[in-house]
């Protein structure tokens, strides 16, 4: 396994491989950068085909967290953790407590939270071994970050629409949303409220059907979403959805959604730019979740203040898209550059 010359290594500060024989834990914690604060990032539990796949994923995700938190103006660095296991079959309380001890061994340099494959119940088990956990509701109105993520995407989408189409309101704007789970459903409701016309898809036909009825939206089969005649495409399902092939098929002129790591490969950003499609960088648009998770770490939780912080995504997106236009470069490149500038403090 290559580590220091791994294509995604990018000067990670620390990579910890943890194992626990009794519970069968095999985990990797990657700490990319702690210059702005402790490295916060979720714990992904996934049955990776190989250790190499797990390492690649954790390195990409932890660097993404550094950039996301820097551009969201949070006093946090970037990190991420993965457990190589099937969350439905292999996850046990003993494994999660062993993970908690691994997190604790880093003395607060890494703070864990929920991600795909891990939920609030798992965080409570980890919490038995370490206090370096966020994302636990505390009985007030904190807890589920998805409405905050959705609102941040809504702000980013409005900024992108203003830059691409020169219009402020969303009345009559056609938006296709791929995935109407936690974030996608909240986003759909906000867009509907603002007067947008929605085309929705999801592999889960039941939740899709209910939302389509509630919002009077159009629904299409999952594969047909890329060809929908819309102004905006909003990926809110899974990562790596923007391939070169998808870039060719899309009719939308703006892409703005919640999914992490939307670009299948970095060169797709240039393809989209050449086709006149404005891509709103994912980690800028979807930072509402980490803004809320960070707020939960503090004694006083003020929901309105968290929302105001989320709404600052508008100004950040405006700055990126203005620079992209002036320099005729793609917004993904500009966002990375801006994040690196903020880190050089
Ligand atoms: P979720 O699991 O609740 O929703 C995802 C939805 O996408 C599900 O309804 C699923 O059925 C659907 N889906 C899966 N594959 C699909 C396909 N091929 N075509 C159409 N639909 C498909 O997840 P979520 O919390 O809403 O998060 C959505 C995305 O946003 C994820 O990529 C997540 O990593 C990212 N994200 C979420 C948050 C958050 O606060 N929840 C924060 C930042 C980023």
């Amino acid at each position: 396994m290559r580590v220091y010359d791994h294509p995604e290594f990018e000067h990670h500060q620390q990579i910890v491989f943890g194992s626990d024989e009794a519970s069968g834990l095999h985990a990797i914690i990657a700490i990319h950068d702690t210059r702005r604060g402790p490295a916060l990032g979720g714990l992904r539990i996934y049955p990776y085909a190989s250790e190499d796949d797990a390492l690649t994923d954790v390195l990409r995700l932890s660097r993404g967290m550094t950039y996301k938190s820097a551009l969201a103006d949070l006093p946090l660095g970037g990190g991420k953790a993965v457990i190589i296991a099937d969350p439905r079959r292999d996850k046990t309380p003993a494994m999660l407590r062993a993970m908690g001890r691994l997190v604790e061994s880093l003395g607060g340099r890494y703070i864990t939270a929920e991600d795909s494959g891990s939920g609030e119940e798992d965080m409570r088990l980890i919490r038995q071994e370490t206090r370096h956990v966020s994302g636990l509701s505390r009985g007030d109105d904190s807890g589920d970050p998805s409405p905050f993520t959705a609102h941040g995407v809504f702000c980013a989408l409005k900024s992108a629409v203003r830059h691409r189409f020169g219009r402020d309101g969303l009345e009559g704007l056609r938006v296709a949303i791929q995935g109407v789970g936690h974030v996608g459903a909240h986003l759909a409701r906000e867009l509907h409220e603002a007067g947008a016309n929605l085309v929705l898809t999801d592999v889960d036909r039941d939740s899709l059907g209910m939302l389509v009825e509630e919002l009077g939206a159009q629904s299409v089969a999952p594969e047909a979403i890329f060809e929908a005649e819309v102004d905006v495409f909003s990926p809110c399902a899974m990562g790596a959805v923007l391939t070169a092939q998808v870039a060719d098929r899309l009719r939308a002129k703006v892409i703005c959604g919640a999914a992490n790591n939307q670009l299948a490969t970095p060169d797709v950003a240039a393809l989209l730019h050449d086709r006149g499609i404005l891509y709103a960088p994912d980690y800028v648009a979807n930072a509402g979740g980490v803004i809320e998770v960070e707020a939960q770490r503090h004694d006083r939780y003020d929901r309105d203040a968290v929302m105001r912080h989320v709404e600052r995504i508008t100004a950040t997106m405006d700055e990126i898209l203005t620079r992209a236009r002036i320099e005729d470069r793609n917004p993904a490149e500009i966002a990375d550059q801006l994040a690196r500038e903020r880190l050089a403090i």
Side-chain angles (χ1 to χ4, degrees):
M1 179 189 291
R2 291 154 66 199
V3 178
Y4 294 114
D5 63 348
H6 190 290
E8 306 287 346
F9 178 68
E10 296 241 11
H11 306 288
H12 268 72
Q13 289 177 350
Q14 195 174 6
I15 302 167
V16 179
F17 293 81
S19 87
D20 176 66
E21 193 182 356
S23 65
L25 174 77
H26 289 111
I28 311 175
I29 299 177
I31 296 178
H32 177 250
D33 196 292
T34 53
R35 279 177 290 177
R36 291 176 60 93
L40 187 145
L43 165 64
R44 183 164 288 192
I45 306 180
Y46 188 79
Y48 293 99
S50 69
E51 288 165 23
D52 274 332
D53 286 359
L55 180 66
T56 301
D57 205 31
V58 77
L59 292 177
R60 273 190 82 184
L61 291 165
S62 68
R63 190 200 69 142
M65 287 308 297
T66 301
Y67 284 20
K68 185 186 293 201
S69 290
L71 286 192
D73 260 328
L74 294 169
L76 294 173
K80 202 85 185 182
V82 296
I83 295 179
I84 304 171
D86 183 333
R88 275 163 306 190
R89 212 188 48 211
D90 310 327
K91 198 165 73 174
T92 60
M95 180 184 280
L96 290 158
R97 291 189 63 163
M99 186 67 200
R101 291 192 293 277
L102 187 64
V103 172
E104 178 63 16
S105 73
L106 295 170
R109 277 171 57 72
Y110 168 68
I111 300 166
T112 200
E114 294 169 29
D115 196 75
S116 58
S118 70
E120 187 163 342
E121 207 38 53
D122 304 323
M123 293 303 131
R124 292 200 185 284
L125 289 161
I126 290 176
R127 186 78 171 79
Q128 291 179 19
E129 304 287 345
T130 181
R131 61 193 169 83
H132 305 300
V133 183
S134 193
L136 290 170
S137 56
R138 302 173 308 181
D140 50 19
D141 55 1
S142 66
D144 175 12
S146 51
F148 297 88
T149 306
H151 189 56
V153 173
F154 179 78
C155 294
L157 190 150
K158 281 186 76 172
S159 163
V161 163
R162 196 170 339 103
H163 282 263
R164 182 62 181 79
F165 301 122
R167 55 179 281 183
D168 271 324
L170 302 184
E171 193 69 42
L173 188 85
R174 297 163 306 168
V175 184
I177 304 181
Q178 181 189 39
V180 288
H182 288 97
V183 181
H186 282 295
L187 178 65
R189 291 192 179 97
E190 250 192 277
L191 288 168
H192 174 74
E193 191 93 337
N197 296 330
L198 302 175
V199 179
L200 309 177
T201 195
D202 200 292
V203 288
D204 178 346
R205 305 298 294 178
D206 291 344
S207 32
L208 176 65
M210 282 187 312
L211 195 68
V212 160
E213 199 168 314
E214 177 192 328
L215 304 181
Q218 185 190 335
S219 77
V220 294
E223 250 319 287
I225 197 74
F226 305 117
E227 270 111 19
E229 286 291 348
V230 290
D231 305 299
V232 180
F233 173 59
S234 184
C236 295
M238 65 287 181
V241 69
L242 302 175
T243 59
Q245 210 193 18
V246 164
D248 269 347
R249 287 164 67 192
L250 280 179
R251 309 278 168 87
K253 291 294 176 207
V254 166
I255 301 173
C256 181
N260 282 312
N261 295 334
Q262 290 167 26
L263 297 167
T265 48
D267 54 305
V268 176
L271 285 179
L272 294 168
H273 184 68
D274 291 346
R275 284 204 55 210
I277 300 174
L278 188 158
Y279 165 67
D282 48 12
Y283 63 80
V284 182
N286 71 16
V290 73
I291 293 170
E292 135 85 357
V293 168
E294 155 64 13
Q296 286 173 37
R297 297 175 55 229
H298 303 286
D299 290 340
R300 212 175 142 269
Y301 179 87
D302 176 347
R303 189 184 166 95
D304 293 341
V306 179
M307 270 302 178
R308 283 196 299 278
H309 192 150
V310 170
E311 285 169 359
R312 280 159 48 194
I313 288 176
T314 303
T316 309
M317 192 59 82
D318 281 344
E319 183 181 349
I320 291 165
L321 299 181
T322 302
R323 253 168 96 165
R325 191 185 62 240
I326 292 169
E327 298 176 24
D328 191 21
R329 287 163 64 204
N330 75 67
E333 227 177 76
I334 301 283
D336 285 359
Q337 185 182 326
L338 197 64
R340 283 194 290 266
E341 285 168 15
R342 291 210 183 163
L343 286 165
I345 41 173

